[in-house]
Amino acid sequence: LPYDICNIPAEPIFTKLPGWKTDLTQLKSESEFPENLKAYIAFVEKEVGVSVDIVSTGPDREQTIIRD
C-alpha cells in the first residue's frame, strides 16, 4: 500500500440532524422537499465542499430530481 493509516489516531465526528417522516417517492421537484431534507442537503454540501446536484427519491429512473 502507498500509505498506512492504521497508526494514525483518528476519532469520528458525529453530527445529529433532525430527520423527516415524509414519503419522498412521489416528489417531482426540489420545492416539494421537506425542510429537514433541504437542511440535510445543505449540511452535506458544506461539509464535503461539493454541490448535491441529483437527489434520488426511489429506485425508478423517474424518481430522480435534478437540482437547479
Side-chain angles (χ1 to χ4, degrees):
L1 294 173
Y3 56 87
D4 182 6
I5 63 169
C6 294
N7 295 325
I8 299 173
E11 187 173 324
I13 300 171
F14 295 97
T15 303
K16 192 171 185 175
L17 301 171
W20 55 91
K21 294 188 184 262
T22 307
D23 177 15
L24 305 178
T25 60
Q26 302 302 313
L27 302 184
K28 299 296 181 199
S29 71
E30 182 178 1
S31 65
E32 299 175 275
F33 287 177
E35 288 304 314
N36 286 347
L37 173 56
K38 292 177 186 178
Y40 174 76
I41 292 170
F43 173 82
V44 169
E45 289 177 326
K46 181 179 175 238
E47 290 296 307
V48 300
V50 177
S51 65
V52 174
D53 296 330
I54 299 172
V55 176
S56 177
T57 60
D60 292 330
R61 198 171 283 211
E62 305 83 46
Q63 294 172 305
T64 301
I65 297 173
I66 309 295
R67 296 178 65 224
D68 295 326

